[in-house]
């Protein structure tokens, strides 16, 4: 069944009072806007669109029932097929509801429930449209009204306006799909097994329910209520948990025990109580087709508390253990868990001692072909059982004895028999199985063989030994195995009770947790279902009486005119079971005492004596049908007598008493004590202990009466566990299975009974406060009772539909719906007006606040920005100052290093140049002195003029170089401004510079060559004859002196030219290298711009120095030329011409 969709706007009448609109659109708006609702408290309880139970003014609260015949138009999904019970018992399903509501549940021919809308109604027929669009014509009586969508997922079924099977199923499924597995049904808690972990447990949730901060339905809430009422009222409490196998009863009981242990813990005994669960589950639970951990017994755990509310002890009582499972299992099921855990988890030493083998080797275990459970580690569980036995103070010796008894039961199943004669008499085979059993229980093997193959009977004063046939021997063997296991289970429970015994300071306050089987109805029902359903009939009557007792007390206390409400009492069915001497139990015990009684004779006897009873119907063969409160169940009498007798012959008891092991002796002693109780009927078979033992049915009836007497002295709290599917799959919700369990556990009947009286009740003050504003005219009296009566009269509520009590008003189901609808419509109008006005006020206020906030933000942000700006300025200035100091120091250091290096280089160069030039100048000065002194040096005028001409040429070249340097300076300046043109201009400058250098070099070389040519010419022209040698000696001396002077000048000029070439090459190479560094062609750890500037300064310095030396050389050569031109040359010429003429003459 899928969840229904959101209701349409026309369902406003079904809105509860504590819901209001958010926004202004309504159903009358032309825009067709959707209507949104939300609870006034601002949240949804438990995640469902339900009402807040904490609101005392809401009629949907836990203390009251919701509106009556109200519904809404909406779409929903179909309800899953369910068999529908008789609708006549649902008092809130009426013709008035069909006229008012348009949404109904309809049962299709295949049994499925579907939700649809009524299109039209004509007489007794209605046309309904299902959600998928299909239109059906059905009878109006078959329609079941649907609840308003706002009631989807309510946590209490009593809040439903229309209580019917599809409504209850849909509500449970709605909550189940949201992992809300607990739902209240009046005083009953319904728990749906989720088959998975849900986040509803743990210390945090325990604290929430302890502090009452969470009020949603829960096992914790039931346990908390029980312990609080026990302390407050000083009355013992009981928590009754029922449900069929696989519904989660055992887990629910453990959850309740955990909460009680958390609240009443502190002494340490609570830990022992919790550790009893692994033991009881191992020895009393088994895997069935429906449940992997099915409890095959009922138990009552009575937890005692001290005066301070702390746990002081506990006691466990068990009911009707399924002993037949020890020797017989259906296909796909398992025997009790402890057998498989022992085989899987026993230590090697224990296995050797007990002669244990694999579980597949034992007949009792392999007959079902099921040895394990998915996701369960039997070995690990066995260690947990051993730990639990240690905690409840079962000694190691006793534990070994317990495991020996379990192994003995397993080996008993392997005992086989051999036919020894033609009458089918048998005796056990003396194999390993027989000897192992004898060794484990500590008896003689021959005595064991006799007990399994023969029976001693006493007839009068004679003892007769009867040999057993094969079937009788197998029954005797199985009976011994079942008895050993049942006695072992009872002995363990007794040991646990001794460990949990209450101390001397017993207060009498206790909380009992009853985990008992629920009503069962299968295709084939046997003796176990017979006893279980009888117990549920007794529990149902206890529940009905308790429920009506509380209702009656409240009605009487408030003084209303109330007559007893009829309900389906099951007393007649209980009489069918318990009536003497012609009840089911009496006739069963009577037939069990007859030696020749059979299952067929039992069925015939029941039909003969009970056919007149309306709750009994005899069927064909061995079957009969009983009409229980939850439905009819057909039983097969096959096996009834054998299971009721539970035979164990006195020979077997004598065998156990003769064992050397203490446990079999204790078992035999317990059986003998029970055999001393009165016989079960007037007729019984003489001899042995068989006739002296109480039948299982009688024993169970006595336990049940004691249980009912104990529960009658407590305040009960009921939990009904529901299994949503048979495959134990999480998230799967099968409505047919759920509905069958709801009927069996009587949940629908419980809610119906709770609503049959006056389920809706309000105090006078609350009623007048909630509906007083609806009065059209004010009344004189202002007391709450007068206002309440005036409201009832104004809305024409019939007197038989309500009662006025001393403190409260009591209403029949649905009567308060008219008042709620009117109140909701009025409040909706008021809320809409208020919402518009408050919205306008809020918008104005918001705009004003926005403006103020904007102004405030602007001031704040401005101040923040100004602070940040000032801080940034301060940091910037500090950074600039630091950078300036650092850069200045770096530049100063670099400049000093450059100056020092330049000075070193300059000093070295100048020293070298001075050393080179000092010798030549000295020669010049020396020659000049000699010439002045002797005036005998003769220099030709052409040589001096040539030297002057070369000096002038050198000066011109120097000027050209200066111009070139100026151009280079300009280009370097341009290079600083425009880096993109720097490389090209530097290259061109380099080329021009090289050309000029080559031109200067060529000029100097030409000048040098011309001087050498002139020298050779003079040497040829100066040859004279031998006759003139004497006359020309002085002139030759002069010419030699002049030659030395000329060679000195040529040497100085050559050195200047050589220096000029070297310097040109050095400056060119440095410039080219720096250009390559600048362009990135060569990597060097230097600054090219700074080096270029330094190279420029060096060039300027050298140029000045070179120019000075060149000018100095020019002056010296000019002076020498002037002196020679002015006097000596002329004198030489005259003297030479004179001598030449005289010689001619």
């Amino acid at each position: 069944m899928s969840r229904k969709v959101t209701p349409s706007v026309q369902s406003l009448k079904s809105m509860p009072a504590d819901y209001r609109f958010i926004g202004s659109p309504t159903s009358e708006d032309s825009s067709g806007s959707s209507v949104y609702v939300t609870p006034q408290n601002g949240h949804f309880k438990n995640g469902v669109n339900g009402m807040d139970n904490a609101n005392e003014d809401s009629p949907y609260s836990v203390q009251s029932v919701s509106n009556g015949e109200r519904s809404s138009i909406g779409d929903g999904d179909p309800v899953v097929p369910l068999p529908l019970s008789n609708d006549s018992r649902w008092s809130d399903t009426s013709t008035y509801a069909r006229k008012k509501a348009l949404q109904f549940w309809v049962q299709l021919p295949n049994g499925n429930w579907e939700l649809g809308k009524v299109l039209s109604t004509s007489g007794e027929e209605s046309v309904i449209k299902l959600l998928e669009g299909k239109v059906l014509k059905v009878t109006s009586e078959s329609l079941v009204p649907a609840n308003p969508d706002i009631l989807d997922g309510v946590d209490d079924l009593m809040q439903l306006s229309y209580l019917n099977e599809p409504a209850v199923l849909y509500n449970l499924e709605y909550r189940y799909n949201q992992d809300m597995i607990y739902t209240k049904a009046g005083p009953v808690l319904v728990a749906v097994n989720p088959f998975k972990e849900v986040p509803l447990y743990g210390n945090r949730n325990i604290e929430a329910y302890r502090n009452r901060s969470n009020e949603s339905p829960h096992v914790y809430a039931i346990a908390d209520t029980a312990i609080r009422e026990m302390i407050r009222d000083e009355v013992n409490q009981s928590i009754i948990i029922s449900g069929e196998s696989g519904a989660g009863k055992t887990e629910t009981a453990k959850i309740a025990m955990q909460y009680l242990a958390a609240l009443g813990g502190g002494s340490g005994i609570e830990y022992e109580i919790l550790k009893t669960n692994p033991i009881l589950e191992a020895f009393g639970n088994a895997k069935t087709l429906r449940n992997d951990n099915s409890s095959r017994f009922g138990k009552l755990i009575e937890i005692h508390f001290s005066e301070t509310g702390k746990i002081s002890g506990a006691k466990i009582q068990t009911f009707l253990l399924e002993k037949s499972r020890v020797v017989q299992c259906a296909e796909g099921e398992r025997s009790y868990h402890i057998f498989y855990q022992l085989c899987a988890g026993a230590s090697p030493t224990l296995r050797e001692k007990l002669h244990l083998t694999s579980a597949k080797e034992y007949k009792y275990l392999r007959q079902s072909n099921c040895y394990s459970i998915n996701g369960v580690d039997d070995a690990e569980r066995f260690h947990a059982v051993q730990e639990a036995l240690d905690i409840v103070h079962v000694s190691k010796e006793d534990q070994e004895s317990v495991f020996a008894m379990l192994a003995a039961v397993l080996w008993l199943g392997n005992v086989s028999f051999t036919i020894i004669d033609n009458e089918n008499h048998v005796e056990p085979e003396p194999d390993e199985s027989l000897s192992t059993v004898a060794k484990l229980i500590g008896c003689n093997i021959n005595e064991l063989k006799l007990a399994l193959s023969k029976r001693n009977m006493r007839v009068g004063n004679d003892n007769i030994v009867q040999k057993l046939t094969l079937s009788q021997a197998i029954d005797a063997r199985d009976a011994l195995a079942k008895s050993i296991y049942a006695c072992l289970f009872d002995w363990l429970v007794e040991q646990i009770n001794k460990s949990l015994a209450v101390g001397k300071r017993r207060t009498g306050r206790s909380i009992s947790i009853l985990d008992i089987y629920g009503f069962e109805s299968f295709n084939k029902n046997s003796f176990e279902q017979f006893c279980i359903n009888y117990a549920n009939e007794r529990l149902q009557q206890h529940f009905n009486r308790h429920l009506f007792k509380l209702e009656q007390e409240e009605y009487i206390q408030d003084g209303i005119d109330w007559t007893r409400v009829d309900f389906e009492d099951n007393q007649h069915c209980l009489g069918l079971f318990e009536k003497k001497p012609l009840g089911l139990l009496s006739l069963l015990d009577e037939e069990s005492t007859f030696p020749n009684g059979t299952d067929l004779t039992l069925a015939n006897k029941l039909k003969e004596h009970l056919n007149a009873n309306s709750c009994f119907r005899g069927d064909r063969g061995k079957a009969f049908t009983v009409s229980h409160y939850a439905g009819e169940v057909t039983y097969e009498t096959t096996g009834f007598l054998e299971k009721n007798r539970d035979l164990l012959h006195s020979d077997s008891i004598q065998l156990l008493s003769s064992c050397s092991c203490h446990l079999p002796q204790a078992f035999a002693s317990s059986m003998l004590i029970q055999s001393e109780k009165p016989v079960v009927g007037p007729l019984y078979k003489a001899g042995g202990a068989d006739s002296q033992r109480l039948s299982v049915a009688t024993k169970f009836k006595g336990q049940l009466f004691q249980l009912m007497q104990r529960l009658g002295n407590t305040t009960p709290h009921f939990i009904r566990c529901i299994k949503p599917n048979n495959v134990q799959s999480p998230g799967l919700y099968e409505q047919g299975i759920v509905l069958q369990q709801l009927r069996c556990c009587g949940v629908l009947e419980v809610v119906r009974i709770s609503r049959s009286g006056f389920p809706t009740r309000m105090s006078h003050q609350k009623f007048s406060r909630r509906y007083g504003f609806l009065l059209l005219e004010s009344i004189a009296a202002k007391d709450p009772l007068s206002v309440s009566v005036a409201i009832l009269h104004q809305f024409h509520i019939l007197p038989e539909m309500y009662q006025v009590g001393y403190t409260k008003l009591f209403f029949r189901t649905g009567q308060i719906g008219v008042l709620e609808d009117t109140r909701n419509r009025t409040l909706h109008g008021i809320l809409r007006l208020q919402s518009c006005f408050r919205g306008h006020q809020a918008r104005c206020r918001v705009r004003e606040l926005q403006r103020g906030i904007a102004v405030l933000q602007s001031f704040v942000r401005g101040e923040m920005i100004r602070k940040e700006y000032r801080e940034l300025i301060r940091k910037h200035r500090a950074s600039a100052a630091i950078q300036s100091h650092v850069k200045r120091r770096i530049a100063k250091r670099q400049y000093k290093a450059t100056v020092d290096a330049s000075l070193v280089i300059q000093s070295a160069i100048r020293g070298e140049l001075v050393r080179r030039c000092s010798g030549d100048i000295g020669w010049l000065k020396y020659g000049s002195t000699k010439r002045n002194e002797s005036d005998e040096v003769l220099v030709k005028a052409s040589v001096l003029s040539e030297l002057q001409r070369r000096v002038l040429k050198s000066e011109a070249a120097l000027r050209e170089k200066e111009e070139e340097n100026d151009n280079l300076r300009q280009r370097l300046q341009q290079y600083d401004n425009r880096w993109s043109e720097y490389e090209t201009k530097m290259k061109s400058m380099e080329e021009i510079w090289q050309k000029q250098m080559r031109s200067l070099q060529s000029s100097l070389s030409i000048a040098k060559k011309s001087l050498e040519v002139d020298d050779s010419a003079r040497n040829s022209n100066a040859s004279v004859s031998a006759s003139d040698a004497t006359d020309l000696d002085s002139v030759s001396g002069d010419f030699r002196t002049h030659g030395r002077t000329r060679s000195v000048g040529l040497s100085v000029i050559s050195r200047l030219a050589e220096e000029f070439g070297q310097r040109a090459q050095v400056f060119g190479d440095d410039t080219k290298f720096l250009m390559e560094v600048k362009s990135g062609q060569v990597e060097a750890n230097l600054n090219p711009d700074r080096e270029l500037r330094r190279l420029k300064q060096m060039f300027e310095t050298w140029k000045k120095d070179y120019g000075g030396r060149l000018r100095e050389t020019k002056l010296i050569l000019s002076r020498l030329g002037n002196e020679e031109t002015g006097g000596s040359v002329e004198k030489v010429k005259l003297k030479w011409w004179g001598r030449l003429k005289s010689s001619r003459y």
Side-chain angles (χ1 to χ4, degrees), residues 662-681:
H662 72 283
L663 279 184
Q665 295 177 2
F667 300 161
S669 176
S670 175
M671 294 178 190
L672 291 175
I673 291 175
Q674 290 186 4
S675 67
E676 296 176 358
K677 295 183 180 180
V679 295
V680 299

Side-chain angles (χ1 to χ4, degrees), residues 1097-1112:
Q1097 292 175 359
M1098 292 174 61
F1099 179 79
E1100 293 291 336
T1101 303
W1102 174 79
K1103 186 184 72 171
K1104 291 179 181 179
D1105 180 72
Y1106 186 83
R1109 286 188 282 124
L1110 192 59
R1111 284 190 297 272
E1112 184 179 357

Side-chain angles (χ1 to χ4, degrees), residues 299-509:
K299 65 176 178 289
L300 177 70
I301 303 176
E302 189 175 4
I303 303 176
H304 296 271
F305 292 83
S306 64
E307 296 178 353
T308 59
K310 299 298 181 181
I311 296 177
S312 59
K315 183 180 180 182
I316 299 175
Q317 181 181 358
T318 60
F319 308 96
L320 197 64
L321 177 70
E322 187 184 8
K323 295 187 292 184
S324 61
R325 182 166 291 272
V326 176
V327 300
Q328 186 177 3
C329 293
E331 184 73 20
E333 296 187 350
R334 292 207 318 177
S335 185
Y336 290 101
H337 295 324
I338 189 61
F339 292 123
Y340 306 90
Q341 295 172 1
L342 178 64
C343 293
S347 63
T349 304
L350 183 61
R351 297 178 70 89
E352 183 180 359
K353 188 174 183 179
L354 303 181
H355 302 277
L356 282 176
T357 62
S358 171
K360 298 180 180 180
E361 302 298 327
Y362 297 107
K363 179 182 177 182
Y364 284 161
L365 302 183
R366 67 169 179 260
Q367 58 186 335
S368 63
N369 292 324
C370 181
Y371 304 99
S372 61
I373 302 175
N374 292 333
V376 176
D377 187 350
D378 288 324
E380 182 180 350
R381 295 290 179 90
F382 181 73
H383 299 318
V385 171
Q386 287 181 309
E387 179 185 356
L389 289 173
D390 292 334
I391 292 175
V392 297
H393 307 103
V394 177
S395 64
K396 292 295 183 181
E397 293 77 9
D398 287 342
Q399 291 184 33
E400 290 185 0
S401 299
V402 169
F403 299 145
M405 294 300 102
L406 294 174
V409 171
L410 293 178
W411 283 111
L412 264 176
N414 288 359
V415 173
S416 58
F417 299 93
T418 303
I419 300 176
I420 59 176
D421 55 26
N422 295 331
E423 297 182 359
N424 204 25
H425 294 153
V426 297
E427 67 178 11
E429 292 185 358
D431 54 8
E432 179 188 6
S433 302
L434 190 67
S435 59
T436 303
V437 172
K439 180 179 178 181
L440 291 174
I441 65 177
C443 70
N444 185 277
I445 189 172
N446 293 324
E447 294 180 357
L448 178 60
K449 291 175 62 176
L450 292 176
L452 296 178
S453 61
K454 296 181 181 179
R455 181 173 296 174
N456 292 322
M457 301 180 62
R458 185 186 180 94
V459 179
N461 294 327
D462 298 330
N463 291 328
I464 300 176
V465 178
Q466 179 184 2
K467 294 182 179 180
L468 301 180
T469 62
L470 179 60
S471 60
Q472 290 174 340
I474 292 175
D475 289 342
R477 178 199 66 186
D478 292 346
L480 179 60
K482 291 189 293 184
S483 298
I484 290 176
Y485 189 81
C487 292
L488 177 63
F489 184 78
D490 293 338
W491 180 86
L492 276 174
V493 173
E494 182 181 354
Q495 298 304 310
I496 292 173
N497 287 333
K498 289 180 180 179
S499 174
L500 304 179
V502 183
K504 296 181 179 179
R505 301 180 59 185
R506 183 167 179 171
T507 62
R509 299 178 182 176

